[in-house]
Amino acid sequence: MYKKKIPVSLDCGLNLFIEVITGKWKLALIWSIHSGIKRPGELQRKINKASRRVLDVQLRELIFHGIISKHVYDERPFKVEYSLTPLGQTLIPVIKSTAKWGEEHREELEKLILRQ
């Protein structure tokens, strides 16, 4: 795995949270897996703006941080499925509340973002 040049600051919970969820597609991956999308190809189709390589990297990071687990079935062709771990399940209320905040402030935020 990639070794960061600047050490990770683990002195507060916010830094730990940011370390785990930083990545453009991680929250979408977590939510998709929570919603029942388990297979890599399904995730790619759901999050089609991301390259397969980027999704694979972010899936590996989520596995490393204990948010999701990967199950490889012993059959041909290979079958892989992802699922949320108990730790990953604890992120669902956080994602829901974050999405709610975005919806509550949608009008104002869209104006600001579209002005760029």
Side-chain angles (χ1 to χ4, degrees):
M1 187 170 280
Y2 172 77
K3 182 149 171 95
K4 295 183 178 185
K5 293 179 180 95
I6 299 172
V8 177
S9 174
L10 304 178
D11 58 347
C12 78
L14 184 59
N15 288 341
L16 289 167
F17 175 75
I18 290 170
E19 176 65 24
V20 170
I21 60 109
T22 296
K24 186 170 184 175
W25 306 107
K26 284 185 180 178
L27 290 176
L29 286 165
I30 293 167
W31 189 257
S32 295
I33 293 167
H34 167 71
S35 300
I37 299 173
K38 309 286 187 197
R39 309 277 314 274
E42 294 172 332
L43 290 167
Q44 176 67 51
R45 284 187 290 281
K46 175 73 175 169
I47 309 170
N48 59 10
K49 292 181 180 178
S51 72
R52 182 69 176 253
R53 182 186 131 340
V54 169
L55 291 180
D56 286 344
V57 167
Q58 293 195 357
L59 285 164
R60 276 195 304 272
E61 289 174 0
L62 289 168
I63 292 167
F64 178 77
H65 286 116
I67 303 302
I68 63 172
S69 61
K70 178 180 179 179
H71 183 55
V72 180
Y73 292 90
D74 189 23
E75 58 185 58
R76 297 273 186 214
F78 286 113
K79 180 180 175 185
V80 173
E81 288 186 349
Y82 294 99
S83 59
L84 290 179
T85 63
L87 179 61
Q89 288 288 348
T90 65
L91 282 171
I92 298 307
V94 176
I95 295 170
K96 284 181 180 178
S97 67
T98 304
K100 182 180 177 200
W101 180 88
E103 288 300 327
E104 289 172 354
H105 301 283
R106 172 185 291 281
E107 191 174 312
E108 180 181 357
L109 292 169
E110 282 181 349
K111 288 177 189 173
L112 294 169
I113 291 169
L114 293 174
R115 216 183 326 163
Q116 292 180 355

